[in-house]
Structures are given as C-alpha cells and as structure tokens.
C-alpha cells in the first residue's frame, strides 16, 4: 500500500515537472526571447517558476484585461521588464474590461413619429412650440420666463400638480430631451456663470435619463432692432452663451442644434416679419421650427 502511494506521488511529480517544463519553454519564447538559449538559470522549469514569480503568466489567462493595466507612452508598450513589474504591483481583481466607445452619430431627417417619447424643456419659446408647432406626441415641461436656475424649483405644472422639471425627470424616462433656455438669463451674471449652471443641469439630466438622447438647442436670436435697443438681451450676449453650451455636445448622446441656422433668422438676427414683439415668433412660423428639428434627427 505504501509503495502504491509512493508511486502515485512520484508520477504526479514527474507529470508536474513535464507540464511546467512545457510552460517554461512557451513562456521563454513569448516573454524572455532576448535572453537567448537556455542557461542553468533559465531552463524550462526554472523559467516557469520565474514567470509565475514575475506574474507574466497572467497575460495568458487575462489577455486584454491584463494589458489594460499597463502604461502606454506615445502608443508604444513599455519594455517587458517594466510590464512585469507593473503586473506584480497591480491588484488585478480590480481590473475591468474596457467598455466600447459610444458610436458617433450624424444628423438625418425623420418623420413626425420621431417625437414619440420626446420631452421639451424650456421657456416661453418652448411654450410656443407646444402650442403652435404641431407636435402632438411629446411631453412639454415649459413655462413663461423659465430659466436654467429654475430646474429644481416647483415652477411648472405637470399632470395637474405643481412640480419641478427635475422631479419629473426623476420619475419618468424619455427617449429624447430637447432643452432651450437662456433668453431670461441674459440680464443675470456672465456667459460663463450661465454656462456653469447650464452644464450642471445637463449632466444631472444625463444621470437621471441614461438612455435618452439630449439635444441642446441654441437660444433663438432676437431682431436687430431689439438687440440694438436693449442693454442685456442682445444678439452678442445670446451668441456668447450659445457658443459655450455648444461645447457640451459630443455627437454620441448629447447634440447641439442651432435654430438660428433655420430660415427664421438672417444675417445674425431674427427676421422682424416673423415676430410680434422682436423676441417671440408668430404662431404660423413655429412649424418651421418643427421641420428644422426633424431635419436634425438622430436615429440610433
């Protein structure tokens, strides 16, 4: 009985030695090729033990997850000795596979069904869209004189109760979210302070609505007459704010749409014949707005 145990143990030792020798040969050619032929210090079995000590054997088992922990300089992998050293210092249990980069999208044209599941957030211009643009299948969270600073205040009425835009977005999920505010903020702060608040709101919406496409609408310009006569609501002031909020677009899940590129404007101003107060467009011209949005659709 004792002889059988000794034989089994001897057989396991021989098999293990052969297996590690084969692995040592593989790891020598893969990870230590610059050291030439085997010497007493890097015989196959010794090489296997060295590879286990260095941690490089993890490259065989973890593949890209192990490589993801290495440093890259000018798109070139560091020398192998440095990689082995980094592997030994890295807690591989915390390594996660990289998520694929989101795809970039370009604008296309869609039909009116595109607005199914959409939500429009904004001030009196958006109120006009809700009333006169002919968009029947979207949700409108808008109010006259609404500003970016009212995002989490009970300023709107939804489903028969007074609430905030943020509360609605916390309770409901939308496919697309259109935002346009800024005209009422022109007399407050600077373009930079407006942008900082605007960015915070967009990022909060991004977290509350992870699956929605966000469309940042450039604030509609005013007429040349209004811009020249007013101290704060000027086209220069509006354009400065638009230029900043446009930087939030990434063409992946946040997009910038400049309504001022539509036929509502000409030579950097709102066309005076299209407006009744130099700021808001007449009811019959809101369908132009809708068509412009449909020509700037994102189809995923």
């Amino acid at each position: 009985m004792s002889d059988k145990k000794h034989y089994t143990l001897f057989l396991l030792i021989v098999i293990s030695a052969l297996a590690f020798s084969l692995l040592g040969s593989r790891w020598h050619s893969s990870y230590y090729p610059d050291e030439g032929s085997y010497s007493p210090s890097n015989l196959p079995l010794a090489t296997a033990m060295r590879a286990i000590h260095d941690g490089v054997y993890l490259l065989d088992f973890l593949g890209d997850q192990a490589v993801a922990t290495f440093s890259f300089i000018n798109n070139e992998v560091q020398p192998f000795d440095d990689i082995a050293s980094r592997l030994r210092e890295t807690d591989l249990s915390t390594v996660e596979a990289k998520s694929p980069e989101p795809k970039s999208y370009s604008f296309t044209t869609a039909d009116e069904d595109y607005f199914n599941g959409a939500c429009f957030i904004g001030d009196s211009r958006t109120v006009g869209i809700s009333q006169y643009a002919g968009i029947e299948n979207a949700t409108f969270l808008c109010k006259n004189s609404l500003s970016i600073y009212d995002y989490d205040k009970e300023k709107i009425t939804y489903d028969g109760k007074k609430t905030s835009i943020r509360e609605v977005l916390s309770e409901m999920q939308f496919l697309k979210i259109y935002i346009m505010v800024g005209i009422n903020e022109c007399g407050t702060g600077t373009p930079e302070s407006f942008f900082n608040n605007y960015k915070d709101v967009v990022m909060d919406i991004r977290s509350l609505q992870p699956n929605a496409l966000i469309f940042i609408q450039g604030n509609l310009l005013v007429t040349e007459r209004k811009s020249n006569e007013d101290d704060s609501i000027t086209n220069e002031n509006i354009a400065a704010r638009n230029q900043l909020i446009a930087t939030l677009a990434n063409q992946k899940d946040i997009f910038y749409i400049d309504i001022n590129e539509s036929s509502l404007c000409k030579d950097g101003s709102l066309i005076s014949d299209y407006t009744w107060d130099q700021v808001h467009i007449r009811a019959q011209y809101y369908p132009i707005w809708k068509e412009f949005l449909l020509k700037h659709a994102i189809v995923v």
Side-chain angles (χ1 to χ4, degrees):
M1 186 68 177
S2 177
D3 291 340
K4 185 177 291 187
K5 287 182 178 180
H6 292 159
Y7 176 76
T8 302
L9 180 60
F10 175 76
L11 186 61
L12 288 174
I13 293 173
V14 171
I15 292 173
S16 298
L18 288 174
F20 276 100
S21 294
L22 290 174
L23 286 172
S25 297
R26 167 186 167 80
W27 290 337
H28 180 277
S29 61
S30 297
Y31 304 133
Y32 306 102
D34 296 334
E35 299 189 8
S37 59
Y38 297 118
S39 65
S41 62
N42 61 8
L43 288 171
L45 187 57
T47 301
M49 296 302 103
R50 178 182 176 186
I52 292 173
H53 174 270
D54 289 347
V56 298
Y57 69 95
L58 291 171
L59 290 170
D60 280 352
F61 301 115
L62 292 181
D64 291 341
Q65 293 189 40
V67 174
T69 67
F70 301 157
S71 295
F72 289 82
I73 301 177
N74 297 326
N75 296 323
E76 294 183 1
V77 183
Q78 293 182 357
F80 185 78
D81 287 343
D82 293 341
I83 294 175
S85 175
R86 290 293 299 279
L87 269 174
R88 290 195 296 271
E89 297 170 0
T90 301
D91 180 5
L92 291 170
S93 65
T94 65
V95 177
E96 296 181 359
K98 281 188 175 181
S99 300
E101 282 292 319
K103 179 180 178 182
S104 295
Y105 295 95
S106 300
F107 290 123
T108 187
T109 301
D111 58 28
E112 296 194 19
D113 289 339
Y114 178 75
F115 293 123
N116 290 335
C119 175
F120 286 79
I121 298 170
D123 51 33
S124 53
R125 268 90 168 266
T126 303
V127 172
I129 294 174
S130 70
Q131 295 175 338
Y132 307 117
I135 298 176
E136 306 293 341
N137 46 355
T139 297
F140 288 87
L141 305 178
C142 52
K143 180 180 173 58
N144 291 344
S145 301
L146 191 80
S147 75
I148 196 67
Y149 310 109
D150 298 325
Y151 168 68
D152 57 354
K153 299 176 182 177
E154 294 185 351
K155 291 282 188 174
I156 64 168
T157 300
Y158 179 76
D159 201 20
K161 69 173 184 178
K162 201 79 169 177
T163 186
S164 69
I165 293 171
R166 190 180 193 281
E167 185 174 352
V168 175
L169 297 181
S170 299
E171 296 173 352
M172 297 183 61
Q173 292 296 306
F174 298 97
L175 298 177
K176 308 172 188 74
I177 296 178
Y178 289 86
I179 310 169
M180 196 193 72
V181 291
I183 189 72
N184 299 303
E185 296 87 331
C186 280
T188 304
T190 64
E192 289 73 23
S193 62
F194 165 75
F195 169 72
N196 289 332
N197 283 275
Y198 195 104
K199 178 177 64 175
D200 289 344
V201 168
V202 170
M203 293 302 103
D204 189 62
I205 293 175
R206 173 76 291 151
S207 66
L208 295 175
Q209 301 283 319
N211 298 317
L213 299 177
I214 297 177
F215 295 91
I216 295 170
Q217 294 190 79
N219 204 19
L220 181 66
L221 298 170
V222 296
T223 63
E224 184 178 5
R225 172 185 159 190
K226 173 68 175 178
S227 182
N228 291 335
E229 293 176 352
D230 202 288
D231 292 332
S232 56
I233 302 179
T234 68
N235 285 332
E236 285 184 356
N237 208 353
I238 294 172
R241 285 162 163 74
N242 286 349
Q243 186 176 10
L244 289 172
I245 63 175
T247 63
L248 297 174
N250 57 21
Q251 296 305 119
K252 295 178 176 65
D253 59 354
I254 303 176
F255 305 87
Y256 178 74
I257 299 178
D258 191 358
I259 188 62
N260 299 300
E261 295 176 353
S262 73
S263 59
L264 294 173
C265 297
K266 184 178 180 181
D267 298 330
S269 299
L270 177 63
I271 297 175
S272 58
D273 289 345
Y274 289 177
T275 176
W276 53 274
D277 66 349
Q278 314 302 312
V279 175
H280 301 85
I281 60 175
R282 299 179 187 273
Q284 63 265 37
Y285 298 112
Y286 273 100
I288 295 176
W289 201 316
K290 179 185 73 172
E291 292 304 317
F292 188 80
L293 295 182
L294 288 176
K295 291 180 179 177
H296 291 77
I298 295 293
V299 177
V300 177

